Amino acid sequence: MKATRLATAGLAAALLGALAAVAPASAAPDATPDPTATCVTDPATPKRQFRAMWIASVTNIDWPSKASWTAPDQVAKQKAEYLGWLDLAQRLNHNAVVVQVRPTADAFWPSTHEPWSEYLTGVRGKDPGWDPLAFLVAESHKRNLEFHAWMNPYRVSMPAPGGAGADISMLAPDHPVRQHPDWVFAYPPAGVAGSRLYYNPGIPEVREFVQTAMLEAVEKYDVDGLHFDDYFYPYPSGTYQVPDDATFAAYHRGFTDRADWRRDNINLLVKEMGEKIKAVKPWVKFGVSPFGIWRNKSVDPAGSDTTGSQSYDIISADTRKWIKEEWIDYVVPQLYWYIGQYPAADYARLVPWWAEQVRGTRVQLYIGQADYKSGDPAYGSYWMNPNELSDHLTLNRAYPEVLGNVHFSAVQVRQNRLGATDVYAAEHYSRPALVPTMPQLPSRPLLSPVITKAQRQADGVRLNWLQPANGRGPLGTATSYAIYRFDGTDRAERCDFADAAHLVGTVRGTDGPIQSWLDDTAAADGRYTYYVSALDRSWNEGPVSAPRSLR
């Protein structure tokens, strides 16, 4: 979005949803808006924008910390640590978290297919004595944060001293690989520094197994999304080749070019995974966060104006195809480069390329941001600029296809080197925002809530309202609510709801008919008018309530 862009009638309608279609004239600010009207919106306070941070568990990068392993009360320590991350997300006006719950063919829940993750206790396969995933999802939803379960499809182990990361005997005693050692390969070769185990993507039984193992989290838990990162076939290491000669010979499916076959293996993984998710829970989103370069223009006319490594070739990830075929709901390219004359990968060149790829599709584009580079001199002088990340988000506004950002990773977001987190939060996340809607997900029309009370208290203004009569159903009807506040007692107009200038919060719904929320930012003597709207689990918004004024 450009700084002074006027929203078209179509965009205004999309932002306001059924604002006037369902509500009676007394309930909505404008029950019959002029379809040709335009709304001036502030690009710094978009009404809808996906905002999240990656919370990585592999090698205990973010959560849980290694310190929690030996804490006197390990479970309480780990729960408190996670709640701290949710506190940070709320302070930054994020609306989602992307949490790694299957880092190395293991699980953060009592899986019937794979062992407990070593990153919970420090011991592979050890039962931590609780269900972390149930807690993670429930606590995120209490804060009205979407929960995206981040999983790595094929990685089985991480490097260990002396190349021991490829030693099957080091896996958990009940690990499936112990029963199926033919399902994995070591890369680089066993005994070489950096060696680790990978499930072999070319074996059909492997592809089916990993899909089943990951799908269990969707089946058993109320996750909002399932999220892959950028690891498919292993990134190249030196001159070592992926050892899949026998697999290609046995399962080539008529392919004569191995590179095309490998890409098709990953295509099948992505396509089938998306189909299986939607078959189980049609409302669960499926997203991938690929390496930021698909192909270079010098190699493929459809590629980007870059010269860096190409994920299409080096890890067999044909991300562009996944977008064009709409096998995924969203894509988060990791654009971990600065804005500037960097021929390998300039952020300012890659954003428009990715925007072009999603244009005309139902796939949403969020950008992966390199918070870990900010303030670290090892990455060069550009990253010593406290405004670099904020400049990225400003550049994104020029491309309406960019609907949000995900920051890597939580530790660096909290560390706030150079004050860079503070800068981009103040300039871009100063108001709450709703998660962008996805028309391909199922939904039902929403009714408007009825505000029953707006009362001053010592700690703010307490609002109560009745949940809509259509209640809460399996598709998330009235899952949460958006609260708008206006100074004074004048009636709000339709365009007043077109951005987040008056959005003061969202809150998860409860099972009871009476819903409640505390406006702890209200001035003690402020004169305000409040409106509340219902949101379903996919963040579709119903008509706003009739106003309630506080004089």
Side-chain angles (χ1 to χ4, degrees):
M1 286 181 284
K2 296 187 178 179
T4 58
R5 184 172 62 85
L6 293 180
T8 63
L11 179 58
L15 287 169
L16 296 174
L19 182 61
V22 182
S26 60
D30 188 350
T32 54
D34 180 357
T36 65
T38 59
C39 298
V40 177
T41 59
D42 183 350
T45 58
K47 182 168 182 176
R48 293 190 180 272
Q49 186 178 57
F50 190 83
R51 301 171 184 168
M53 56 187 171
W54 279 291
I55 301 177
S57 62
V58 68
T59 67
N60 301 99
I61 292 174
D62 295 316
W63 182 86
S65 71
K66 287 185 179 180
S68 72
W69 293 351
T70 57
D73 188 340
Q74 172 214 327
V75 175
K77 172 73 170 176
Q78 292 182 346
K79 288 182 176 181
E81 285 181 348
Y82 185 71
L83 294 180
W85 292 124
L86 298 187
D87 289 342
L88 176 62
Q90 284 192 298
R91 286 199 301 274
L92 296 175
N93 281 327
H94 286 191
N95 47 34
V97 288
V98 184
V99 185
Q100 194 171 34
V101 296
R102 185 183 179 271
T104 53
D106 49 13
F108 273 52
W109 69 95
S111 170
T112 58
H113 305 286
E114 296 181 310
W116 284 103
S117 176
E118 67 179 289
Y119 303 117
L120 288 165
T121 63
V123 179
R124 293 170 180 166
K126 182 179 179 180
D127 187 339
W130 62 302
D131 187 340
L133 184 53
F135 175 82
L136 300 178
V137 173
E139 291 300 322
S140 300
H141 284 170
K142 286 180 183 177
R143 315 291 186 100
N144 207 27
L145 297 165
E146 276 199 340
F147 184 91
H148 291 239
W150 167 15
M151 304 190 183
N152 187 289
Y154 290 125
R155 182 173 60 204
V156 175
S157 66
M158 292 296 288
D167 186 350
I168 291 177
S169 70
M170 299 294 290
L171 298 176
D174 60 343
H175 201 291
V177 170
R178 287 181 177 263
Q179 284 73 49
H180 301 281
D182 55 314
W183 280 6
V184 298
F185 58 72
Y187 187 86
V192 174
S195 181
R196 65 186 79 183
L197 294 171
Y198 294 88
Y199 276 123
N200 190 334
I203 300 176
E205 292 83 2
V206 166
R207 186 174 74 250
E208 182 177 359
F209 172 79
V210 299
Q211 289 171 346
T212 300
M214 293 185 290
L215 193 65
E216 184 181 54
V218 176
E219 294 169 331
K220 294 184 176 181
Y221 299 88
D222 190 23
V223 302
D224 300 290
L226 192 144
H227 181 97
F228 286 174
D229 53 23
D230 59 317
Y231 291 95
F232 297 101
Y233 274 88
Y235 279 92
S237 177
T239 59
Y240 297 112
Q241 301 300 307
V242 171
D244 59 358
D245 290 352
T247 310
F248 182 49
Y251 303 108
H252 56 76
R253 299 190 303 279
F255 281 93
T256 57
D257 183 276
R258 192 178 311 198
D260 289 340
W261 169 75
R262 287 178 180 167
R263 275 187 290 274
D264 192 62
N265 291 333
I266 306 304
N267 288 345
L268 289 171
L269 168 77
V270 173
K271 180 176 185 292
E272 293 170 358
M273 194 72 214
E275 291 171 346
K276 290 179 178 180
I277 291 169
K278 293 299 188 284
V280 172
K281 292 181 178 176
W283 55 86
V284 172
K285 303 170 184 178
F286 180 37
V288 179
S289 175
F291 181 74
I293 299 174
W294 172 71
R295 298 198 92 187
N296 297 314
K297 185 185 296 186
S298 60
V299 174
D300 189 321
S304 53
D305 185 14
T306 49
T307 61
S309 298
Q310 306 170 108
S311 60
Y312 177 94
D313 299 283
I314 65 171
I315 57 173
S316 306
D318 191 357
T319 317
R320 184 173 182 271
K321 182 178 182 68
W322 309 341
I323 293 171
K324 298 303 183 184
E325 298 290 340
E326 298 183 339
W327 292 342
I328 55 179
D329 294 305
Y330 67 87
V331 63
V332 193
Q334 298 173 23
L335 302 192
Y336 294 169
W337 300 286
Y338 56 78
I339 298 172
Q341 298 304 311
Y342 180 49
D346 183 344
Y347 184 92
R349 296 178 183 178
L350 280 162
V351 168
W353 185 87
W354 284 100
E356 181 182 356
Q357 305 319 302
V358 302
R359 193 171 298 141
T361 75
R362 297 184 302 182
V363 178
Q364 293 189 351
L365 173 62
Y366 319 138
I367 304 298
Q369 300 292 343
D371 288 53
Y372 73 96
K373 289 186 174 180
S374 180
D376 189 336
Y379 295 107
S381 61
Y382 280 90
W383 290 104
M384 299 308 292
N385 175 6
N387 298 310
E388 179 67 27
L389 287 171
S390 187
D391 290 345
H392 289 196
L393 275 57
T394 300
L395 185 149
N396 292 354
R397 294 177 185 170
Y399 301 92
E401 295 82 7
V402 179
L403 296 178
N405 300 277
V406 185
H407 298 267
F408 188 82
S409 66
V411 164
Q412 284 82 20
V413 172
R414 182 177 65 188
Q415 192 167 356
N416 191 23
R417 287 193 296 262
L418 306 179
T421 302
D422 290 340
V423 172
Y424 70 68
E427 296 183 355
H428 300 278
Y429 300 162
S430 63
R431 307 294 297 177
L434 309 184
V435 172
T437 59
M438 290 185 175
Q440 67 267 36
L441 303 183
S443 64
R444 293 197 297 260
L446 295 162
L447 300 179
S448 62
V450 176
I451 303 177
T452 58
K453 183 172 69 174
Q455 184 176 22
R456 296 188 196 278
Q457 299 179 174
D459 52 354
V461 173
R462 173 67 63 179
L463 289 183
N464 289 345
W465 63 88
L466 294 173
Q467 72 173 11
N470 48 342
R472 303 175 71 200
L475 296 184
T477 304
T479 298
S480 62
Y481 300 88
I483 301 97
Y484 301 89
R485 185 185 74 198
F486 295 83
D487 291 335
T489 58
D490 290 342
R491 185 182 183 84
E493 300 296 334
R494 180 181 61 88
C495 284
D496 293 329
F497 298 88
D499 62 19
H502 300 284
L503 180 65
V504 288
T506 70
V507 64
R508 199 77 171 184
T510 60
D511 289 331
I514 303 297
Q515 308 296 307
S516 184
W517 180 79
L518 177 67
D519 182 2
D520 58 6
T521 65
D525 58 350
R527 300 178 65 208
Y528 301 118
T529 299
Y530 290 92
Y531 296 82
V532 177
S533 64
L535 305 164
D536 69 12
R537 69 167 303 134
S538 298
W539 297 78
N540 296 293
E541 185 176 20
V544 297
S545 67
R548 185 81 177 202
S549 295
L550 190 68
R551 300 178 184 276

